[in-house]
Amino acid sequence: MDFLRPASWEEALAAKAEHPTAVPISGGTDVMVEINFDHRRPEYLLDLNRIELLREWEVGEENVRLGASVPYTQIMENLRAELPGLALASHTVASPQIRNRGGVGGNLGTASPAGDAHPALLAAGAEVEVESVRGSRFIPIDEFYTGVKRNALQPDELIKTVHIKKADGPQQYSKVGTRNAMVIAVCAFGLALHPETRTVRTGIGSAAPTPIRAKEAEAFLNAALEEGGFWDNGKIITPSIAKQFADLCSAAANPIDDVRGTAKYRRHAVGIMARRQLGWTWEQYRGTGRTLEGAA
């Protein structure tokens, strides 16, 4: 196995173009596990640790530009207000040591359905900026996952930046595992309220071949909130609406039985997380002062 160590982003793109099968490594929290267990033996490893721009982030007026290698610890400490869902997801990633090394780019590159960042990125509506010597392009997060551990990257492309709109409403994230730390998700769920557009987005992890959104559940809830005037009057969401939303989220899952849990349990847990997060986020929204006077 050859080890390529570019000193700049331009050198990294040139190396990837010359060796399209090269596997990028930054935090190494996924790649090294596969190599150590002899599940993967790439011909080339492309070390990105000298590429400073991948560890940079910028908060703009509307969006956060997050470098692919920004560690989860930095997201937790510096972007909690702008990216609350992703910050919550970052808290659930393995151990402090791994959170200090791993970043969102690794989750996206591996594209495992159990990756902790995926539900939050789906719920927030992120875009992934990828680049090659041929140029750059933006991939909407909904189009990024193409199969089990497969993504929309071309062989010569590298993930550069993730662009995420700053939260304009409450966001939540939760994950079910066999213990509280150092665990792969049995299933995970993310929810984001977007009051500016009066929409709700979801993200489901480890309960389908790829990370997915519960689009029918979103459509139902968006219509129910609009028809009932909930965005304006700040009323408590009725139990029947919450239950229907949870049932539709559960139905969106397409899980399997494996050593971590059964398909039946995963569907049930997704529904429970959806109902709870809807309650949490809506109560937070009602208390923000965005609703009409006297609605809180």
Side-chain angles (χ1 to χ4, degrees):
M1 184 171 12
D2 289 340
F3 195 71
L4 309 175
R5 197 161 185 257
S8 67
W9 179 241
E10 290 71 25
E11 288 183 14
L13 295 179
K16 187 62 169 161
E18 185 177 355
H19 306 287
T21 61
V23 175
I25 182 170
S26 182
T29 57
D30 285 321
V31 173
M32 290 309 301
V33 171
E34 293 184 330
I35 291 174
N36 289 338
F37 281 92
D38 207 25
H39 295 161
R40 193 176 195 179
R41 190 60 55 178
E43 186 178 1
Y44 300 97
L45 276 181
L46 180 60
D47 178 19
L48 301 177
N49 279 290
R50 298 170 71 187
I51 315 301
E52 189 63 31
L53 72 85
L54 296 181
R55 292 190 296 275
E56 297 174 350
W57 73 88
E58 180 182 8
V59 177
E61 289 188 10
E62 296 184 356
N63 298 294
V64 175
R65 184 183 62 80
L66 188 69
S69 297
V70 173
Y72 290 111
T73 299
Q74 295 296 323
I75 297 171
M76 292 159 50
E77 293 177 353
N78 299 288
L79 297 170
R80 185 182 304 275
E82 294 83 3
L83 307 176
L86 187 58
L88 286 169
S90 300
H91 270 283
T92 74
V93 175
S95 66
Q97 295 91 334
I98 290 177
R99 291 194 290 271
N100 286 336
R101 291 288 301 173
V104 172
N107 256 193
L108 290 168
T110 304
S112 166
D116 292 316
H118 303 315
L121 295 174
L122 283 164
E127 280 192 313
V128 185
E129 182 182 3
V130 303
E131 194 166 334
S132 70
V133 294
R134 296 177 290 108
S136 63
R137 63 188 179 113
F138 288 78
I139 306 173
I141 193 68
D142 293 324
E143 300 173 13
F144 189 80
Y145 312 106
T146 59
V148 179
K149 294 189 175 183
R150 296 200 306 273
N151 58 44
L153 287 173
Q154 296 298 314
D156 63 342
E157 289 180 326
L158 294 170
I159 298 170
K160 181 180 182 182
T161 310
V162 183
H163 298 262
I164 313 169
K165 186 177 179 181
K166 291 164 61 177
D168 64 311
Q171 300 180 1
Q172 272 292 336
Y173 175 92
S174 52
K175 151 182 167 179
V176 174
T178 53
R179 57 186 181 184
N180 287 333
M182 294 296 290
V183 65
I184 299 174
V186 175
C187 55
F189 190 84
L191 180 67
L193 304 187
H194 299 279
E196 289 183 2
T197 56
R198 298 194 172 201
T199 56
V200 175
R201 285 180 64 106
T202 60
I204 300 175
S206 203
T210 67
I212 59 170
R213 287 168 55 200
K215 293 185 178 180
E216 288 189 18
E218 295 173 9
F220 162 77
L221 186 57
N222 289 337
L225 294 178
E226 192 64 34
E227 291 169 6
F230 287 92
W231 291 108
D232 294 322
N233 61 36
K235 293 189 301 185
I236 296 174
I237 292 175
T238 62
S240 60
I241 291 176
K243 182 180 184 303
Q244 181 69 7
F245 173 69
D247 289 345
L248 288 169
C249 288
S250 179
N254 182 25
I256 60 171
D257 295 333
D258 63 16
V259 295
R260 298 198 305 278
T262 65
K264 181 178 180 181
Y265 176 77
R266 284 185 163 101
R267 288 193 190 94
H268 175 72
V270 165
I272 295 295
M273 288 189 288
R275 178 175 55 80
R276 289 178 178 175
Q277 288 185 32
L278 178 58
W280 296 335
T281 54
W282 194 253
E283 281 305 302
Q284 187 178 350
Y285 173 73
R286 294 177 72 232
T288 59
R290 289 195 177 100
T291 53
L292 292 179
E293 184 178 353

